[in-house]
């Protein structure tokens, strides 16, 4: 029976295939008591399994590269957390087996996070995956993961851990659907980087029977269950037509009447550069530098190491624009040598620029490395600070850039409502703004970006979020400065038109989304985009906002 389910589309494209369910999670180990003499052996088993899982995660990250590498290295650090391991060994000492001790220690830490309002829900999902991998190794059972198949399929799961998503083979996994997750979760971001169609936060997804044919539309968020052969043929035909349109759209980003909208790439390191170049990116709109600092959580990398890596990226865009975000540590990206040990609400605490201002030597080292990496290159280098709240923050960052002798434009990210509301004041100190719509939505709606239950409030089509975008772009225009978007909102082709209509001057996204956005922009005039932007802001919900903009752009 042909039925339609609706979730949140997080990665463009259409996938049609049979359902294969994710391997089941590791079962709860039995609570068997061991003797005191067995404890040292069990503690050693636990340590070896923890180390093996951490090494496996690091190896997977090395294979995947880019954003995936940073995510998996963070997971490896989680596996090796000394407090967790100490808790495991204490439990073994009082009679638990290694596998039971790991299970209970991780459960205790999980409960602690959940008890804090699931603020770090994304970390909880990663924690569960680490636990399952360690316990599976100790019990000698198959590791939970992507099922084996001799033909392509659509993967369905309650949720996907980064370790699974990072190494998905697009030739085998046509697309994926999850019951949990949100548009800015780790797996959603990695799906876009891979170019795999994906829908998340789809209630009842795991109830679809193994082997059922489904059609996944990663743009609209719809999943057709058991579509007829005629419907499958129609969807496949539309997908081919869409691909042909993408292939035909070349050159710089622009509306049909020639209004230029530079299309830039979000990257996590040198491994992401080739995909960005191949997609025709006109530069880099967000160069995340966190991955460099995850190699060793106890100290910052040397200036020489940083400069070498930065230059690899700069040389790929010798005459283009490269926007570097300085280290964004804290919240879900803690670093031992920077992040406070305990905060009641980390994402509302010391993170981003706040962390760097508390540790000026780290900021100065990074700025010096950027200056060294850019020497002799004709690129347009821009450097921006994350989590800027007001003019004082912007002034402090601009001052640090001047002290470092950095010959680059200095800007800030708009990720909290205060920065959007007071954008004109902030722009008295810096030369550009870049809207990070993921965090801006999180802080505007008090909705954790990793929690699927509040994903509707993370929808970048929310009119209140578009109002804040408009405030920032109007301020930038009044000051004669630029205001781009580097959040995931830019990856939605329809929303890209709306953002252009609201005055956004550049759009930065994962490389896989650039052709979709380029082709869609090229179909519409600037005036149409402006009318679509006004219609979207006039709506009262994210759903109505999208419908209103779509009606304008389709000429209805």
């Amino acid at each position: 029976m042909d039925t339609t389910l609706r979730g949140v589309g997080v990665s463009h494209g259409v996938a049609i295939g049979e359902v294969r369910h994710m391997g089941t999670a590791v079962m709860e180990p039995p609570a068997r008591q061991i003797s005191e003499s067995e404890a040292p052996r069990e503690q050693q088993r636990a340590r070896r399994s923890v180390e093996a899982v951490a090494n496996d995660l690091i190896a997977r990250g090395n294979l995947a590269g880019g954003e995936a590498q940073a995510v998996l290295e963070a997971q490896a650090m989680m596996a090796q957390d000394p407090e967790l391991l100490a808790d495991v060994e204490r439990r073994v000492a009082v009679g638990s087996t290694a596998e039971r001790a790991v299970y209970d220690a991780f459960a205790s830490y999980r409960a602690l996070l959940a008890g804090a309002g699931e603020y770090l829900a994304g970390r909880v999902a990663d924690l569960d995956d680490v636990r399952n991998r360690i316990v599976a190794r100790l019990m000698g059972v198959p590791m939970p993961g992507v099922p084996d198949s001799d033909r392509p399929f659509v993967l369905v799961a309650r949720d996907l851990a980064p370790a699974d998503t990072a190494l998905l083979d697009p030739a085998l996994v046509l697309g994926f659907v999850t019951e949990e997750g949100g548009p800015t979760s780790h797996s959603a971001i990695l799906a876009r980087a891979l170019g795999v169609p994906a829908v998340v936060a789809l209630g009842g997804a795991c109830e679809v029977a193994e082997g059922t044919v489904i059609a996944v539309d990663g743009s609209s968020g719809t999943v057709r269950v058991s579509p007829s052969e005629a419907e499958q043929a129609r969807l496949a035909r539309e997908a081919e037509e869409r691909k042909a349109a993408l292939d035909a759209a070349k050159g710089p980003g622009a509306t049909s009447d020639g209004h230029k909208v530079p299309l830039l790439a979000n990257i996590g390191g040198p491994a992401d550069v080739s995909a960005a170049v191949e997609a025709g990116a006109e530069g880099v709109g967000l160069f995340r530098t966190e991955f460099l600092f995850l190699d060793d959580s106890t100290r910052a990398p040397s200036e020489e190491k940083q400069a070498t890596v930065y230059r690899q990226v700069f040389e790929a865009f010798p005459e283009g624009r490269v926007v570097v975000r300085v280290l964004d540590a804290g919240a879900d990206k803690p670093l031992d040598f920077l992040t406070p040990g305990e905060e009641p609400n980390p994402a509302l605490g010391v993170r981003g620029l706040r962390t760097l201002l508390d540790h000026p030597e780290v900021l100065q080292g990074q700025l010096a490395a950027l200056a060294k990496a850019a020497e002799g290159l004709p690129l347009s280098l821009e450097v921006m600070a994350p989590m800027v709240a007001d003019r004082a923050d912007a002034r402090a960052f601009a001052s640090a850039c001047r002290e470092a002798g950095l010959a680059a434009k200095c800007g800030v990210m708009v990720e909290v409502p205060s920065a959007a509301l007071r954008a004109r004041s902030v722009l008295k100190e810096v030369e550009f703004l870049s809207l990070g719509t993921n965090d801006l939505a999180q802080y505007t709606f008090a909705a954790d970006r990793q929690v699927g239950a509040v994903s509707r409030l993370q929808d970048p089509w929310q009119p209140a979020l578009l109002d804040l975008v408009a405030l920032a772009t109007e301020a930038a225009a009044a000051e004669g400065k630029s205001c781009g978007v580097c959040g995931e909102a830019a990856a939605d082709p329809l929303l890209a038109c709306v953002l252009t209509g609201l005055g956004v001057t550049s759009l930065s996204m994962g490389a896989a989304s650039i052709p979709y956005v380029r082709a869609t922009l090229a179909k519409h005039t600037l005036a149409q985009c402006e009318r679509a932007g006004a219609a979207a802001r006039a709506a009262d919900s994210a759903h109505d906002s999208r419908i209103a903009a779509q009606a304008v752009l389709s000429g209805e």
Side-chain angles (χ1 to χ4, degrees), residues 379-398:
L379 86 160
S380 174
L381 177 61
E382 302 182 16
V383 181
M384 62 184 180
M387 289 299 295
V388 166
D390 56 16
R391 183 173 180 175
D393 279 350
R395 183 187 304 119
F397 181 65

Side-chain angles (χ1 to χ4, degrees), residues 19 21 98 206 214-215 269 290 372 385 388 409 411 449 462 499 537:
V19 166
H21 286 279
C206 292
I214 63 173
E290 288 77 48
K372 183 176 181 180
V388 166
K409 287 186 178 179
R449 55 187 285 189
Q462 286 284 357
L499 294 172
R537 289 183 66 192

Side-chain angles (χ1 to χ4, degrees), residues 32-36 38-39 42-43 46 83-111:
R32 181 176 66 84
Q33 284 291 110
I34 63 170
S35 66
E36 185 177 344
E38 293 177 285
E42 290 296 290
Q43 289 173 336
E83 290 187 13
L84 265 173
L85 187 56
D87 191 14
V88 169
E89 293 189 342
R90 279 194 299 268
R91 292 172 187 272
V92 170
V94 295
S96 288
T97 62
E99 48 266 44
R100 186 70 208 191
V102 168
Y103 188 89
D104 289 342
F106 274 74
S108 177
Y109 188 41
R110 189 187 198 284

